[in-house]
Amino acid sequence: MYGIPASHPRYRSLLLRAHMAEEMERGLIVPEGLIAHGRGEAFDYIIGEKTMPFAAKAERAAAAHLLLAKCPVISVNGNVAALASKEVATLASSLPSLKVEVNLFHRTPARAELVADRLRSAGVREILGVHPTVRLRGLPSDRGWVDQNGILVADTVLVPLEDGDRAKALASSGKFVIAVDLNPLSRTARAADLPIIDELKRALVRVNSSVISLKRRRSAWARIVETTDGQELRRQALAHMADRLKRLARGSSQEQPPRAR
Ligand code: PTJ
């Protein structure tokens, strides 16, 4: 596909890049979105391109938080729509209280419609944020435009591939912020109450499985939430990356950089 030989050791990664480039040509993602994707790839390369225990724990805790929330919202930008619309739709159908809201940094009415169309084709029934009328306090960029029935009144917001200013503004307005970001050093990961240091698609699949398995175990939700320290999990991600790099630098045969995906 895309003229990339299937035998290439980084075939899946190259395929995904070609898909993202195509999404940029369609206008779903912005050129800056390609840069953000490349940054994510670099961090995932260091992590080892798989979900590590600190992420698995955060994903389970995210499910418990979303189940406990009165008004949970997932915020969707261009990159999220291009990478994981299907996973967003699956999560929204497993958790009917979850609202799906389009929120863009580089907002144009046409892009907001494109993101909404992509979500609709993936199976999301109700999409907020396409014509937002209110602003979130403390956020001067276009990300400040929010839906009065969504992020404005949300108590818990899941913000994948986010910008630090917005994560901070959401947290300062009293919302519980769950971020998905492969970069544990980002301002978003540092500002979030619960940073999930994992790749977006892997993270959403696991949050969804945990929602399904925890749905009937209401008594477990509060305990999971109380025993999870998001910032401690972020520090564990950093420690894992530092250890892995040290092992690789020593030439450990057990720890090869990722190859085929
Ligand atoms: O669609 P728009 O207009 O709202 O713009 C979206 C972008 C992505 C351009 C905007 O949000 C942006 O500039 O994001 P940043 O500040 O570059 O942050 C994106 C973060 O997501 C970076 O820290 C990346 O490491 C991380 N990231 C990239 N791809 C993935 C990821 N994290 C998890 N999974 C990924 N697939």
Side-chain angles (χ1 to χ4, degrees):
M1 225 179 154
Y2 297 110
I4 304 163
S7 57
H8 192 287
R10 301 286 303 163
Y11 179 67
R12 283 179 54 196
S13 171
L14 296 185
L15 214 60
L16 188 55
R17 281 186 186 183
H19 164 73
M20 294 300 270
E22 220 172 57
E23 296 291 25
M24 192 201 79
E25 278 160 22
R26 280 190 198 111
L28 184 69
I29 67 171
V30 285
E32 292 83 345
L34 292 184
I35 297 170
H37 180 73
R39 187 192 291 177
E41 274 188 330
F43 279 100
D44 207 16
Y45 209 87
I46 299 173
I47 288 171
E49 295 182 326
K50 58 184 179 207
T51 300
M52 297 308 295
F54 50 80
K57 189 162 184 206
E59 284 147 4
R60 191 168 145 82
H65 275 283
L66 292 171
L67 283 161
L68 275 167
K70 286 205 164 55
C71 183
V73 175
I74 179 167
S75 172
V76 178
N77 64 19
N79 281 48
V80 175
L83 289 169
S85 282
K86 232 176 69 197
E87 288 72 17
V88 170
T90 305
L91 182 60
S93 79
S94 301
L95 188 69
S97 58
L98 183 71
K99 294 179 180 170
V100 179
E101 177 163 342
V102 176
N103 185 280
L104 299 173
F105 187 62
H106 307 276
R107 178 177 271 279
T108 64
R111 271 194 83 221
E113 293 288 358
L114 270 179
V115 172
D117 285 349
R118 182 59 62 87
L119 289 168
R120 223 170 273 121
S121 336
V124 180
R125 291 211 190 103
E126 199 193 343
I127 299 154
L128 304 177
V130 181
H131 304 289
T133 49
V134 283
R135 289 196 66 92
L136 191 74
R137 197 178 296 206
L139 203 55
S141 76
D142 273 353
R143 274 208 168 114
W145 286 110
V146 292
D147 199 294
Q148 59 186 353
N149 299 312
I151 289 172
L152 187 74
V153 290
D155 52 357
T156 301
V157 193
L158 175 54
V159 284
L161 277 68
E162 198 38 75
D163 163 83
D165 289 347
R166 181 150 175 266
K168 267 195 192 139
L170 290 167
S172 343
S173 59
K175 301 175 194 307
F176 188 87
V177 179
I178 305 170
V180 183
D181 194 329
L182 280 159
N183 177 5
L185 295 168
S186 74
R187 287 179 311 133
T188 303
R190 286 182 285 132
D193 297 291
L194 181 59
I196 299 176
I197 312 298
D198 202 357
E199 195 281 323
L200 172 67
K201 212 161 161 168
R202 295 200 302 263
L204 290 180
V205 167
R206 280 179 172 262
V207 172
N208 182 59
S209 325
S210 290
V211 162
I212 293 169
S213 68
L214 286 172
K215 251 183 191 172
R216 287 193 179 76
R217 297 183 48 214
R218 183 175 275 271
S219 59
W221 303 349
R223 183 185 44 81
I224 293 170
V225 161
E226 278 156 22
T227 55
T228 306
D229 177 344
Q231 287 303 318
E232 169 53 25
L233 294 176
R234 186 185 68 84
R235 285 188 287 274
Q236 287 178 17
L238 275 170
H240 159 73
M241 291 163 100
D243 285 351
R244 185 157 187 271
L245 286 177
K246 274 190 216 145
R247 284 198 300 274
L248 285 167
R250 282 199 300 267
S252 159
S253 56
Q254 307 282 305
E255 275 290 346
Q256 291 304 315
R259 279 178 57 83
R261 291 190 64 184

